[in-house]
Amino acid sequence: MTLDEFLNNLWQGYTQIAPSALKIRQLLESRGETWENDHIAFRTYDRSPIALADLEPHLLSFGYERYEPYAFEDKKLRAFGYLHPEAGRPRVFLSELETHKLSAETNAIIDKLVAQVDAEKIKDPSCMFAGPLWDIPSEETYQKLLDESEYAGWVAVNGLCANHFTVSVNGLKDLPNLDALMSFLEENGYKMNMAGGRIKGTPDVKLMQGSTIADKGQVTPPGGQPYEITTCYTEFAERFDGFNGFVPKSADKIFESTNVKS
Ligand code: NI
């Protein structure tokens, strides 16, 4: 698989469960705008065979290089940013849930999910857009996970996939800044994640970000009733002075885009 094929597959899977991302891209392109991807983000559990350390080799095999580690104490996450030496390639943000910091009950649920993963499948980069690698849990189990960690619940029903693609404000031709982009989309009916304010970050921290509220989807556990979940969202990023990193204080609030309660 080439990097282009990998990125295309990620986009296909992502827009299938988050159709509004495709509509946003089409809307911008129909306005004559350039749609460039600032970064792609992934979520996973820190459990072999799907831990960050298990998935990272795929990124490295495509030429990505580790840039910076990040920690999210409250959300019990750690993450790495990755850069590609070729111009025009999206950055990657790969995070994992620190499951040992969660309750025994949540760990027991995650144990059951991860035990179903076919480790052979993880040897191929296609695992990163494979979706759930286990049977969809019951709605009751999903709710239990959400109660303790929104992130834990999200991964249980969405599995491995792109959590978001990110429109690069710097790549836009006509819309002059993040606020103009978000206002344009709001005028077209898109709702923004207001956790921590509509726009996260300032030019001082070299990165300003915003995001939509995640799309809704439906899953059906084996032998059970279908139920509603949150899937993926679109993020927007405006960078200053060639900054290539991420700002944990802002990202912490961007994570809220998939919060069912928001
Ligand atoms: Ni992001």
Side-chain angles (χ1 to χ4, degrees):
M1 193 183 306
T2 65
L3 176 54
D4 280 322
E5 287 165 347
F6 179 67
L7 297 173
N8 284 338
N9 274 297
L10 283 168
W11 173 256
Q12 293 304 327
Y14 163 69
T15 51
Q16 217 158 52
I17 58 172
S20 67
L22 179 61
K23 288 189 190 134
I24 285 173
R25 182 173 183 165
Q26 289 167 341
L27 179 66
L28 287 170
E29 288 177 345
S30 72
R31 196 185 187 277
E33 272 299 356
T34 311
W35 184 96
E36 274 177 25
N37 188 11
D38 179 272
H39 67 270
I40 301 172
F42 297 92
R43 296 179 175 185
T44 192
Y45 300 134
D46 67 347
R47 293 290 190 86
S48 190
I50 57 163
L52 186 151
D54 297 303
L55 303 179
E56 181 182 68
H58 298 309
L59 299 175
L60 304 182
S61 76
F62 289 125
Y64 276 96
E65 289 160 9
R66 265 192 179 194
Y67 182 61
E68 258 184 353
Y70 304 100
F72 302 87
E73 294 296 329
D74 291 351
K75 293 204 158 50
K76 304 176 174 72
L77 306 173
R78 59 176 169 234
F80 254 98
Y82 301 84
L83 300 181
H84 201 282
E86 275 172 43
R89 294 302 193 184
R91 298 162 189 81
V92 171
F93 181 85
L94 175 56
S95 64
E96 67 179 357
L97 183 64
E98 297 171 295
T99 54
H100 67 277
K101 295 183 178 173
L102 301 172
S103 68
E105 199 184 6
T106 290
N107 272 278
I109 296 171
I110 293 174
D111 279 341
K112 278 189 190 158
L113 299 178
V114 175
Q116 298 172 56
V117 176
D118 175 0
E120 276 302 306
K121 225 175 165 178
I122 306 304
K123 291 181 182 163
D124 192 87
S126 61
C127 70
M128 293 182 79
F129 48 82
L133 297 156
W134 43 73
D135 288 343
I136 295 290
S138 70
E139 182 170 16
E140 190 193 351
T141 303
Y142 174 55
Q143 290 299 337
K144 263 188 207 159
L145 289 176
L146 289 181
D147 284 345
E148 186 169 3
S149 161
E150 192 279 325
Y151 185 111
W154 190 90
V155 174
V157 292
N158 289 285
L160 298 185
C161 57
N163 170 266
H164 58 271
F165 275 60
T166 311
V167 182
S168 164
V169 173
N170 302 71
L172 296 172
K173 282 193 302 197
D174 195 29
L175 290 161
N177 52 43
L178 178 60
D179 180 53
L181 169 63
M182 291 176 74
S183 297
F184 170 68
L185 294 173
E186 283 166 329
E187 284 157 21
N188 282 278
Y190 292 95
K191 285 210 172 65
M192 299 300 158
N193 164 17
M194 304 301 279
R198 178 170 165 273
I199 288 177
K200 286 88 169 150
T202 58
D204 287 346
V205 297
K206 317 279 187 213
L207 177 63
M208 288 165 73
Q209 291 162 277
S211 60
T212 61
I213 294 287
D215 278 15
K216 302 273 193 239
Q218 208 179 51
V219 290
T220 309
Q225 292 299 311
Y227 62 91
E228 188 177 78
I229 60 162
T230 57
T231 60
C232 304
Y233 56 93
T234 300
E235 190 177 310
F236 318 103
E238 182 171 6
R239 294 181 180 271
F240 300 86
D241 307 326
F243 178 71
N244 266 322
F246 296 92
V247 178
K249 200 169 152 250
S250 302
D252 194 68
K253 300 296 178 201
I254 293 278
F255 278 115
E256 298 293 328
S257 304
T258 53
N259 195 333
V260 227
K261 286 160 197 124
S262 56

